[in-house]
Amino acid sequence: MLGYFPTPYPDELLYSMVARYALHTGLKTNHRAVVREVFSSPTATAIPDLPSHLEALTQNLQAIWAVDACELIRSYTLAPIYLPFLSNTQAGKITEAMCSNRGNSIHTRTGIAASAIKQVELFRFCPTCLKEQLSTLGEAYWLRQHQLPGLDYCKAHSCLLKQSEVPFHPKERHCFYSATSTLITAPSEHLQLSKLEQQIYLRYTELLTLGSLRGLGTNRWTLFYRELASQHDLIQKSRVQHIELYERIRSLWTGSVFAPHFENHHDQHWLVDIFRKHRKSFHPLRHLLVITSLIPGTPIQQIVEEVAKLPVEGAQGRPVTIKKTRDINDSSKYRKVWLSLIEKNPKLGVKALRAKQHGGATYSWLYRNDRRWLEHHKPQKRQNLNKRFVCDYNSWDKENAHLLEVVFAKLMTEPQRKRITKAQLINSLPRASSIEKHLKDLPLTSNWLEQHAESVEEHQLYRLRYAYKVIKGQHQQIKRWRLLRLANIRKELLTPTIETEILQLQTKGLS
């Protein structure tokens, strides 16, 4: 239980509070003591954006600050910018991991680890904000909004953020660095943003202060972006006009600080994917770039509320789509076109009819909206009377027998050869997989394999005779144990035939 903990400043990171605690209590250099006292764990890691062990921290703070873990996540971490764009299940797992002492998968679950938009490498600060903090508070602290990925601007003073010397994810995993003891002085650098760029900043900070921990799900965002495209006349015949959409949004950001996000060709661009069915999460900044481009005046809170009203994911995790009622006149029109195609092309099948003019679109519409009628009005399947390739099994059989003789003769000359199996012989032939399937049609091949493939016992006899030659060549006495050892035959596998062969070889060795 903690008897002291710093009072949080406006928009302060939880990491910054722990760093100030270490500074105020004189534990700045004793990093392990800090994490033990604050998180009741010697292994807690200093994570600035999405920390874990928050449940243990709240337990230690109850005597001086009645705060729960969700409030810490909502107000003192960067989680609120990521969670609304994930599924509710995924957001729940991330929140649970942040509360627990198992936080190793948090950055993977949010998509941060795989995102093309990387986190900041060093803590950032605004020089003017720093001076104001030191003059009014007597110390400095790390602001959440200054660490937002992809945003290098301080709206309060219209200047560029500066990088400190403090790594955002340091190699020393248990070190909390306070802003007061590490910042260096730097001059302010004024930056004039356009109205559209300012809108991005406002939405980013509004999303952060909104503090929503609820995941809205990929299906809701899919439907939202489709409706957004429809409102801007960017859908034609149920298809989003991705090229026009890409060019329109890209042109808005040309010459801005966000122009690098639109450099890739539209075929491989994230902007095309975000207007398709969402199969992955997108970085919050990319959502905000699209939303700001198409609906610049709408507050982010209103957008989140509208998205939350859309259908959620189905039981199997599939997107819920809004089905349109079928118009009888449409059915009649498409049926007539299909029947006309069949009448004009009586010899063609479905595939060929779909290749005709209007055939593909007509078939697709009927398949989606009038499938039962379509099943009863397809052209009859015609039997393919063209004779397929007929295999000459007799020639193939003779060729195999000849090749097997050549292969077998080569194998027999190899010293210390392995057992010649049926599978080995077949695999040495061309079209080996086909031979195995058609052995009943290849009698010569089948009989040859049966006669020449070695059994285990036959190969043991071969190894014994080879062992006899080796021992004889070394001018050693032919002993039973020497034969078995060199032939690598275990005693429990000996058969009467093997025993007879051993006796014969021993007798031969004596003569």
Side-chain angles (χ1 to χ4, degrees):
M1 189 71 68
L2 292 172
Y4 166 76
F5 196 74
T7 303
Y9 293 125
D11 196 42
E12 184 176 14
L13 277 171
L14 178 61
Y15 172 99
S16 178
M17 288 184 245
V18 179
R20 288 196 295 120
Y21 170 85
L23 188 64
H24 295 173
T25 56
L27 297 174
K28 176 184 173 182
T29 57
N30 194 343
H31 309 300
R32 292 282 185 175
V34 172
V35 295
R36 273 198 305 268
E37 290 186 10
V38 175
F39 299 105
S40 300
S41 169
T43 59
T45 307
I47 302 295
D49 52 350
L50 304 171
S52 59
H53 294 76
L54 299 187
E55 195 63 48
L57 173 59
T58 57
Q59 294 292 328
N60 293 332
L61 289 173
Q62 289 307 305
I64 53 176
W65 184 17
V67 66
D68 60 20
C70 287
E71 179 58 28
L72 289 177
I73 296 172
R74 186 179 294 110
S75 303
Y76 305 104
T77 74
L78 297 187
I81 68 171
Y82 298 105
L83 300 187
F85 303 108
L86 305 174
S87 69
N88 199 37
T89 303
Q90 199 75 331
K93 288 181 179 178
I94 291 169
T95 305
E96 182 182 351
M98 292 178 71
C99 293
S100 72
N101 59 357
R102 301 180 303 277
N104 55 338
S105 64
I106 294 174
H107 288 79
T108 304
R109 289 185 183 278
T110 53
I112 296 173
S115 177
I117 299 176
K118 300 303 178 184
Q119 291 180 288
V120 296
E121 295 182 358
L122 301 170
F123 274 95
R124 298 179 304 186
F125 67 96
C126 166
T128 308
C129 287
L130 173 64
K131 291 177 183 177
E132 291 178 355
Q133 290 171 5
L134 292 173
S135 62
T136 58
L137 306 173
E139 61 180 346
Y141 66 93
W142 301 118
L143 272 75
R144 288 195 301 168
Q145 58 187 276
H146 288 172
Q147 319 310 324
L148 293 173
L151 199 66
D152 306 322
Y153 177 73
C154 176
K155 178 66 168 61
H157 301 102
S158 301
C159 66
L160 279 172
L161 296 175
K162 299 293 184 178
Q163 289 187 334
S164 70
E165 296 178 348
V166 182
F168 199 68
H169 289 289
K171 293 180 180 179
E172 300 84 359
R173 300 177 61 199
H174 310 290
C175 301
F176 289 84
Y177 296 98
S178 70
T180 302
S181 59
T182 56
L183 287 177
I184 56 174
T185 57
S188 296
E189 188 176 343
H190 181 75
L191 178 66
Q192 186 64 41
L193 294 184
S194 67
K195 290 183 178 180
L196 204 59
E197 290 170 331
Q198 291 179 22
Q199 286 290 329
I200 284 286
Y201 177 88
L202 292 174
R203 275 176 165 71
Y204 223 153
T205 52
E206 185 184 354
L207 182 63
L208 186 64
T209 54
L210 187 63
S212 175
L213 304 184
R214 177 188 176 190
L216 299 178
T218 55
N219 183 72
R220 282 172 165 158
W221 287 108
T222 298
L223 296 177
F224 168 75
Y225 283 115
R226 186 166 185 83
E227 179 62 26
L228 203 58
S230 177
Q231 291 174 5
H232 287 78
D233 297 324
L234 292 169
I235 291 184
Q236 185 176 0
K237 294 182 179 180
S238 77
R239 291 178 179 270
V240 176
Q241 303 302 297
H242 294 294
I243 298 177
E244 183 181 348
L245 176 73
Y246 168 77
E247 293 297 337
R248 183 182 298 188
I249 294 180
R250 185 179 66 87
S251 63
L252 290 172
W253 298 104
T254 300
S256 72
V257 294
F258 301 106
H261 293 280
F262 301 91
E263 289 178 347
N264 293 341
H265 192 267
H266 69 83
D267 288 341
Q268 301 173 342
H269 204 273
W270 60 265
L271 189 58
V272 173
D273 293 333
I274 208 170
F275 278 89
R276 288 176 174 159
K277 175 183 174 182
H278 285 205
R279 292 181 172 85
K280 61 179 181 180
S281 60
F282 295 87
H283 194 277
L285 179 57
R286 290 181 168 175
H287 283 279
L288 297 178
L289 285 169
V290 176
I291 292 169
T292 305
S293 301
L294 299 181
I295 43 175
T298 309
I300 198 69
Q301 182 174 358
Q302 181 181 335
I303 293 170
V304 169
E305 290 173 356
E306 290 179 2
V307 173
K309 296 176 184 177
L310 296 172
V312 296
E313 291 181 350
Q316 288 78 32
R318 296 180 179 177
V320 179
T321 54
I322 302 171
K323 294 185 177 179
K324 296 181 179 179
T325 55
R326 191 179 68 194
D327 191 339
I328 297 176
N329 293 329
D330 285 344
S331 291
S332 177
K333 179 180 68 174
Y334 282 103
R335 286 178 180 183
K336 286 179 180 178
V337 175
W338 183 249
L339 292 174
S340 175
L341 282 169
I342 295 175
E343 185 180 353
K344 293 177 180 177
N345 306 279
K347 295 183 180 181
L348 298 183
V350 171
K351 188 175 181 179
L353 288 173
R354 292 177 67 181
K356 293 286 184 181
Q357 188 177 10
H358 306 303
T362 303
Y363 181 88
S364 297
W365 191 95
L366 290 170
Y367 185 83
R368 294 192 188 101
N369 302 283
D370 204 357
R371 191 179 303 181
R372 184 174 296 179
W373 180 90
L374 179 62
E375 292 297 329
H376 292 89
H377 293 83
K378 287 182 179 180
Q380 293 183 353
K381 290 185 177 179
R382 292 171 176 79
Q383 186 177 2
N384 188 2
L385 300 177
N386 295 330
K387 289 185 178 181
R388 296 186 178 182
F389 170 75
V390 178
C391 181
D392 186 353
Y393 286 106
N394 188 37
S395 299
W396 189 18
D397 199 14
K398 290 179 181 179
E399 182 184 354
N400 287 339
H402 172 71
L403 290 173
L404 285 169
E405 290 286 355
V406 175
V407 171
F408 185 77
K410 183 180 179 181
L411 290 174
M412 291 297 288
T413 59
E414 292 181 359
Q416 289 185 289
R417 61 173 174 79
K418 295 182 179 180
R419 183 163 72 98
I420 302 173
T421 63
K422 185 177 178 180
Q424 181 187 9
L425 291 168
I426 291 175
N427 287 332
S428 68
L429 297 173
R431 298 163 61 190
S433 58
S434 298
I435 291 171
E436 217 165 354
K437 295 176 184 176
H438 296 281
L439 273 178
K440 62 181 180 180
D441 301 314
L442 304 167
L444 287 176
T445 305
S446 181
N447 292 335
W448 195 98
L449 291 170
E450 292 295 336
Q451 293 173 12
H452 292 79
E454 278 185 315
S455 65
V456 173
E457 188 179 62
E458 287 173 337
H459 193 246
Q460 287 175 335
L461 290 171
Y462 159 75
R463 298 207 303 270
L464 279 171
R465 292 164 191 153
Y466 184 81
Y468 172 82
K469 291 180 181 179
V470 173
I471 296 170
K472 199 72 173 172
Q474 295 173 351
H475 306 290
Q476 294 180 346
Q477 190 176 358
I478 304 299
K479 295 286 187 179
R480 184 175 186 274
W481 64 268
R482 282 199 178 107
L483 289 170
L484 291 176
R485 177 182 290 180
L486 197 57
N488 195 22
I489 300 174
R490 298 202 301 266
K491 292 181 180 179
E492 59 268 23
L493 298 179
L494 294 177
T495 63
T497 306
I498 297 295
E499 291 285 8
T500 302
E501 183 68 20
I502 291 172
L503 289 174
Q504 290 177 358
L505 292 173
Q506 284 179 312
T507 305
K508 185 179 176 182
L510 295 173
S511 60

